[in-house]
Structures are given as structure tokens and as C-alpha cells.
Amino acid sequence: MTGSAAPTLVVVEDNASDVYLLKYTLKELQLDCNLVVYRDVPEALHSLDQQTPPVGVILDLNLPSGDGFQLLSFIRESGPIKDVPIAVVTSSESPVDKERCHAMGATYYLHKPTDLDEFVTIIGDVMKSILHGSLT
Amino acid sequence: MSDLIAAESTFLWEPSGGATKLLLVDDDEHNLLALEAALEGIADELVSVRSGEDALRELLNGDFAAILLDVKMPGMDGFETAELIRSRQRSRGIPILFLTAYRSEAHLFRGYDLGAVDFLFKPIVPEILRSKVSAFVEMARSADMLRQQAATLARAEERFRMLLEAAPDAMLIAREDGTIILVNSRTEELFLSSRKDLLGKNLRELIPEWTRAGQATGIEMRAVSGAFREFPAEVTSSPLRTDDGVLVIVVIRDVTERRMIEDKIRQLNFDLEQRVTTRTAELVRSNGALREFAWAASHDLQEPLRGIVVYSQLLERSSDSLQNDQKELLKHIIDGGRRMDRLLRSLRQYMQVADTKGHQPLSTSSADSFTLAIQHLQPLISSTSATIEVGNLPKIVAVPVLLTQVFQNLLANALKHRGEAAPLIQVSADREGDFWTFSLKDNGIGINPRYHERIFGVFKRLNHSMEGTGIGLAICKSAVEHWGGRIWVESQLGRGSTFYFSARAADQ
């Protein structure tokens, strides 16, 4: 791995349009990173150990074959990436979910905005801080 | 029973209704006249006859207090007449006084043998005659009175018996130890025994719980009728002090039917309560299911909606080749999507307030909640150049987060529905008994009174040109009612509105 290689950001998200939006945000903000996308929990569990450790994880809560909480506890409790920042990005507005995520070690808890500019601003800020954090 | 006799007794001591009569029998008219003269005024009537035959004839016609009978008469003499008088049932008891000139002992013995009560010797001494005869007249009068008393008593007893027999309840009289001495026919029916069998039994054989001859009114006890039947009975007893000792009057009413009806009513009530409980549980369940459905639906709609809005925005920006009118169409799509987004959000917010199980009302500083609401609304307050005047706000029993929401929604409404002039909102609280009433008075466009109830419903927007979802007041109502308060509005079109809501004071 060379110093110039782009950092890896893992996204666990089943919704293709959200994945598109994340990529759009990276492009808009001219953030350079290698986005690895898993579409469900088993795939993520299987692959996380076998690849370049990511600088951070963007996690949806509502996933097929399991849920984001499962993955959150898996990452936090084991393996080489247990200390990376994790941003839970979800459509859930439940305060209970929010509290639970923080208790389980989520770094950020973000509600998916229903506006392009808000999405780019809010989600973009979090991606920036994850990526920049990885450079220091 | 005693009352009945008392009522009759007022007649008992009146003079006898029948006249007292004396029968004078002598063949000598002079003697008769002398007797009549001597007995003047002693009796009500003097009947004089000249022979034994005539005397017997008179005795057929009426009762006499006494008979004065001459012994020596032609034809049937006094002794023969007396013998016949004695032989007749009707006249047997009438005292006979013989009038005679003979004082021989044989003569007297025969007279007494024939039932004479006395002898008067000729020549008659009027004073002796009067005193002897008047004694018999008095005796006859007393006897008559006694007969009448007996008849009155018999009538009274008959009435008592009829009353007793006609009574719808079993009525008994027992001695202090419970020995039954009188029963009515209802008792026979109720206990399936004849009067003969019942008399002499102890009350405890009929009512095992009966303990003593005390006063009891409508006590419910178990009654035993024969070997196989028991029934609930209402027992009333009262002691009666008599010369023969304490008696107890017992009234037993069979309350089987009443008990059955009561049981039925109880059962019906129980069934009704069960059904209400079941129905309520069903309603609670279906309410919960509805809430969950509404929550899930609003949540699930949010996702595709986000896609529509965001991708329309992407499309809007991605291409410079779009015509202006195409951009206009996209703008409408995006606006529509945003409005729906706001609706879904506020619907969820309303449901969160409605689902208040987690929010116990507690002592809350309304001043703190108000300050927080003002902070949230600062941009709107600044942009509308609004003035907000606020008095002293008390501590109340409420839910802090909901109270902030209420202030925020009411203030936002006042700011949004402002008139031409810069908004002026005056906020105060007044104590009324255990409650505080808050008022928020604005100088806005006002609300037509016909909508004053409707505006607190869900999605009730009066002015569709205004932004907003029409759920803010529904949230306020739900919140205020959760802590036991009330919310209402006083307003006229064009004259501003005053919103009121109440809450219990926290200092009691």
C-alpha cells in the first residue's frame, strides 16, 4: 500500500439510490476515496475481515438478512477495525434507535435528509471528517 | 294482635244492650201489684203472670234476670213450674226466688232441690225483697256484659286470625326458648308441614341460625323446609312481653325469587363488565395496531419520497439542456414532495405526542419551557420583527418537552398568521383555584368562530395559502389533555386570537 492510495470507506447500504447519493456527495465535495459497498449484513460480515481495513464505516440500520445493530456490535467487539469511526445513516427517527446506536459505539447518528443540498452538506461533513481523520 | 283488642275494648265497658227483665209469678193479683210496687225501678221491665203455664210461655220469649215464683198456686204450683223451668235448656240458668208462707224444712229442701236460689217469706218485706232481687239483677247485668265481652273478644280474635292467615309471609309466635305456639297457613306452605306438626317444634328446626328472642329486622337467614329444601329467608322478629312471659313474634319471608333476580342482575352486570373489558381491550389493541400501522406507513412512505425529491433535484441540476418549462415542472414535483415530507414528519411527531406513556406529568417550570420555545423560533421572530411580551410564568404539572412544543406551536401559529402590522404576542398566566390558565394573545388575522373547534383536529388547515401541515394545534391539544388540562381559543376574524390552555399548579 502506498501513501498516495485513496483511503477505503465501507458502506453497508441496500438502497441503490442512497449509494448513488453517497457517491454523488463524494464527487460534489471532491473527496478522494475508495468506496466499498456491501448490500446486506452477511456479505459485510464475510468480507470485512478479508480486505484492506477501511478508515470508516457508513451503516444503514434497516438491512436485509439482519440489521445494522448486529453489524455495529460485530465491528466494535472484534477485529482490527474496532476503533474506526462508524456513521449510522438511517431513515429512522426513533430516539430509542439513536440512543441504542450511541450506546453501542456509533460515532455519528444521522437522519437521511429529504433534500439534495441537505444530504450533501450533512452527510458530506461526516464523510469529510472520517476521511480527514484518517489522514492525521 | 294487641292493637286489635284495644280497638274493640272501647266498647267493652258500655252498658249492656239488652234490657234486664224480671218475671213475677203469682195467682193473686194483689200480691202481684204489691211485688210490682216493691220492685219499681230495680229492673228495666217487670213481667207479671198469674200462673205457671203463663210463666213458661213468657220464658219462651226472652231472657230474664230472675224469676219470683209463688209456691202455692192453683193448677201447676211453684215447684212444678220450677221443675219445668230447670228442665229447659234455655231457662235452666235463671235464678228462681220462691215466694212462700211456709217455713217448714221439707218445703225448703224441695225448693233448693229444684234450683231455688232463695226463699222469700210472706208477708213480703219490701226492703228485703228489693235488696235480694237487685243482687240478681246486678248479677244478670254482669253476666250479660261478660257475654258481650266474650263476643267482642271472639270477633277480635277472628279478625286477628283472618289477618294472620291472609298474611303473605309466614308468621309465628314462639316462646322465649323458641317453642312454637302459633303459626299461620303460609308457614305450613313454606315449611311443607301441617300446623299440628309445627306447633311445639323449636324455631331453630326451621331457622338454624335463629338464636334468641331479640329484635331483628329483615335479617337474611337460611330456612330449612323438610329434609330436602333450604331457602334464603328474611327474618324479622320482635319480642312481646306478656303476663305469661316473653313471647317472640317471627315473620319469615321467602326471598328465593328475589335472590334469584339479584343473582341474575349480578350475573348480567358481571357479563356486561366482562364484555366492556373485552371490548375495551379489543379497542386498545386495534388502536395500537392502527398507530403502529400509521407509524410504519408514514415511515415507509418517507423512503420512496426522499428518492423522488432528491432524484428530481439531481435531474434538475444534472442537465443544462432542460427547457425552462421542464424545470418549472420539476420544481412542482419537488415542492409537492417536500410538502408531503413535512406532512409525514408532523404526523409522526403527533403520534409521538399521542403515545405519551413515557411522559409522566411532573412539576415543570413553564418559564424555562417558554424560553426554549423562543430560542427555537428565533429566526422566525427576527424575520417578522415580532414583539413578544411575557408576564410571570408559574410552575405547573406538565411534561417539559411537550410544554415547550405547545408554546412553540402556538407562538409559530401567531407569527405565521400575522396581519399587516408587526406581530405582537402577549403571554401571561392566571391562577384559578388549583389550575393555571395560560393565554397567548396576538394581533393576527383572527379565526372565524365557526372553526374554533375544528382547528384542533389533525390536518385541519384553514388557510391553504399558508405553509404548515395543520397538525400543530392537534399536537397542542393532545399534549395539554395528557396532563389533564384544556385548550381553547377566543377569536374574531380581523381582531386577533387568544389561545388558552390550562394545567394544574405544581404547588399543591
Side-chain angles (χ1 to χ4, degrees):
Chain A
M1 206 193 303
T2 66
S4 65
T8 297
L9 193 56
V10 163
V11 172
V12 189
E13 171 66 82
D14 62 316
N15 188 338
S17 52
D18 282 335
V19 174
Y20 183 92
L21 281 177
L22 289 171
K23 286 178 177 164
Y24 175 85
T25 304
L26 289 171
K27 204 172 82 191
E28 279 292 290
L29 299 179
Q30 296 172 332
L31 296 170
D32 184 21
C33 81
N34 175 27
L35 207 63
V36 177
V37 180
Y38 302 122
R39 309 245 164 220
D40 60 33
V41 175
E43 189 189 345
L45 288 175
H46 181 257
S47 314
L48 268 174
D49 288 347
Q50 304 182 0
Q51 62 132 56
T52 322
V55 291
V57 178
I58 292 176
L59 183 60
D60 188 16
L61 279 184
N62 195 9
L63 292 165
S65 321
D67 61 33
F69 296 111
Q70 215 181 322
L71 211 51
L72 191 54
S73 66
F74 173 80
I75 296 170
R76 279 290 177 252
E77 281 165 19
S78 66
I81 60 162
K82 67 186 178 73
D83 295 323
V84 299
I86 301 175
V88 173
V89 179
T90 175
S91 53
S92 166
E93 284 178 359
S94 158
V96 178
D97 283 353
K98 183 174 179 175
E99 236 169 77
R100 191 169 162 208
C101 285
H102 281 307
M104 291 173 74
T107 322
Y108 307 95
Y109 185 95
L110 300 167
H111 185 254
K112 292 175 184 170
T114 311
D115 180 88
L116 185 59
D117 293 337
E118 273 182 51
F119 194 99
V120 170
T121 310
I122 294 170
I123 309 295
D125 276 355
V126 168
M127 294 208 286
K128 253 192 267 180
S129 86
I130 290 175
L131 292 171
H132 292 166
S134 76
L135 298 177
T136 58
Chain B
M1 179 173 74
S2 56
D3 276 357
L4 254 155
I5 290 172
E8 287 290 336
S9 68
T10 54
F11 300 105
L12 286 182
W13 316 115
E14 286 190 356
S16 149
T20 39
K21 296 196 292 183
L22 288 173
L23 183 60
L24 314 178
V25 189
D26 201 316
D27 59 315
D28 186 334
E29 192 174 354
H30 296 288
N31 283 346
L32 281 176
L33 286 172
L35 286 172
E36 284 172 13
L39 296 171
E40 173 82 50
I42 279 189
D44 298 319
E45 197 181 341
L46 299 175
V47 177
S48 302
V49 293
R50 304 273 296 272
S51 67
E53 289 85 346
D54 288 347
L56 291 171
R57 194 170 304 117
E58 281 300 327
L59 282 166
L60 293 175
N61 295 332
D63 282 332
F64 288 86
I67 303 166
L68 275 70
L69 187 55
D70 187 21
V71 173
K72 190 170 163 292
M73 287 188 293
M76 195 189 295
D77 71 8
F79 290 141
E80 287 166 342
T81 307
E83 205 169 342
L84 287 169
I85 289 171
R86 285 284 171 266
S87 69
R88 286 190 191 166
Q89 172 75 30
R90 182 158 178 202
S91 53
R92 182 173 295 159
I94 303 174
I96 298 171
L97 290 92
F98 283 112
L99 305 170
T100 183
Y102 305 107
R103 289 184 180 248
S104 79
E105 287 197 354
H107 196 76
L108 291 181
F109 283 141
R110 179 144 188 241
Y112 285 122
D113 256 3
L114 288 168
V117 292
D118 211 346
F119 280 84
L120 288 161
F121 298 104
K122 294 179 178 179
I124 301 293
V125 182
E127 286 72 25
I128 294 175
L129 175 70
R130 277 183 76 89
S131 82
K132 287 199 171 175
V133 171
S134 60
F136 287 106
V137 169
E138 280 315 307
M139 270 171 58
R141 282 187 173 145
S142 299
D144 191 45
M145 209 180 276
L146 279 173
R147 258 196 308 280
Q148 290 198 29
Q149 283 177 18
T152 307
L153 273 172
R155 272 200 305 279
E157 195 171 329
E158 179 59 20
R159 283 187 209 180
F160 164 68
R161 203 162 290 283
M162 277 165 61
L163 192 78
L164 197 67
E165 292 307 314
D169 297 329
M171 295 176 85
L172 306 87
I173 296 178
R175 294 211 185 87
E176 203 172 8
D177 65 359
T179 309
I180 297 167
I181 56 172
L182 184 147
V183 300
N184 68 350
S185 58
R186 183 74 185 124
T187 313
E188 296 179 289
E189 289 169 26
L190 213 51
F191 290 94
L192 305 170
S193 302
S194 71
R195 205 168 293 232
K196 192 163 60 89
D197 291 340
L198 287 167
L199 296 178
K201 270 195 182 172
N202 197 289
L203 261 177
R204 278 182 215 93
E205 293 176 59
L206 308 185
I207 315 162
E209 293 158 56
W210 190 81
T211 46
R212 61 198 173 81
Q215 187 87 31
T217 309
I219 306 292
E220 200 156 317
M221 293 179 182
R222 188 168 48 89
V224 181
S225 167
F228 303 108
R229 187 170 119 83
E230 272 192 20
F231 61 90
E234 200 176 81
V235 178
T236 299
S237 70
S238 64
L240 179 69
R241 272 164 234 295
T242 71
D243 293 341
D244 301 332
V246 177
L247 297 180
V248 56
I249 302 172
V250 183
V251 179
I252 302 171
R253 173 171 296 181
D254 182 358
V255 292
T256 308
E257 204 165 315
R258 195 173 74 195
R259 182 63 87 67
M260 269 162 59
I261 292 169
E262 281 169 1
D263 284 351
K264 205 167 178 181
I265 290 172
R266 243 196 305 279
Q267 186 62 43
L268 283 173
N269 274 336
F270 179 75
D271 288 350
L272 194 65
E273 259 169 50
Q274 288 283 92
R275 271 150 77 175
V276 168
T277 308
T278 311
R279 193 86 190 95
T280 306
E282 274 170 23
L283 282 174
V284 166
R285 257 199 308 281
S286 76
N287 250 345
L290 265 178
R291 236 197 333 265
E292 272 172 38
F293 173 77
W295 179 267
S298 71
H299 207 266
D300 291 350
L301 289 173
Q302 190 83 41
E303 276 297 302
L305 180 66
R306 202 161 52 80
I308 292 168
V309 172
V310 173
Y311 279 82
S312 300
Q313 287 175 317
L314 280 172
L315 180 60
E316 189 186 32
R317 285 166 210 190
S318 66
S319 171
D320 296 332
S321 62
L322 284 178
Q323 305 291 316
N324 271 346
D325 54 345
Q326 289 172 321
K327 285 195 171 170
E328 180 68 19
L329 293 179
L330 269 176
K331 192 171 134 8
H332 283 301
I333 293 173
I334 293 163
D335 282 352
R338 280 183 171 150
R339 204 157 53 237
M340 189 165 163
D341 178 58
R342 278 198 302 276
L343 284 173
L344 291 174
R345 267 173 219 282
S346 55
L347 188 59
R348 281 199 296 277
Q349 197 187 1
Y350 173 71
M351 284 187 293
Q352 274 178 327
V353 173
D355 192 17
T356 42
K357 282 176 204 124
H359 294 134
Q360 263 324 303
L362 42 87
S363 176
T364 302
S365 160
S366 63
D368 289 355
S369 290
F370 186 80
T371 306
L372 215 55
I374 292 285
Q375 282 170 13
H376 293 163
L377 290 169
Q378 203 51 58
L380 189 57
I381 293 169
S382 304
S383 68
T384 55
S385 315
T387 308
I388 296 176
E389 298 174 359
V390 56
N392 279 333
L393 297 181
K395 269 192 181 299
I396 56 169
V397 178
V399 179
V401 55
L402 294 182
L403 182 59
T404 303
Q405 185 81 60
V406 169
F407 277 130
Q408 194 173 323
N409 290 5
L410 292 178
L411 288 169
N413 264 352
L415 293 170
K416 274 186 236 161
H417 301 103
R418 60 186 176 274
E420 307 266 306
L424 170 65
I425 305 172
Q426 291 158 305
V427 182
S428 60
D430 289 303
R431 179 80 180 248
E432 285 166 39
D434 292 343
F435 279 82
W436 284 97
T437 299
F438 292 81
S439 65
L440 290 88
K441 182 179 185 341
D442 67 42
N443 59 345
I445 56 173
I447 305 161
N448 188 323
R450 54 196 271 230
Y451 298 125
H452 286 185
E453 290 289 329
R454 238 183 83 186
I455 52 172
F456 293 102
V458 176
F459 292 145
K460 297 294 185 218
R461 287 173 69 201
L462 299 180
N463 190 339
H464 287 267
S465 63
M466 295 273 178
E467 74 178 79
T469 58
I471 211 158
L473 288 175
I475 288 173
C476 291
K477 185 173 195 292
S478 186
V480 170
E481 286 176 356
H482 175 59
W483 64 67
R486 231 161 45 83
I487 186 166
W488 69 100
V489 65
E490 286 173 9
S491 177
Q492 291 290 336
L493 262 186
R495 293 196 213 151
S497 306
T498 307
F499 279 86
Y500 299 91
F501 70 89
S502 58
R504 197 169 276 281
D507 57 10
Q508 35 90 39

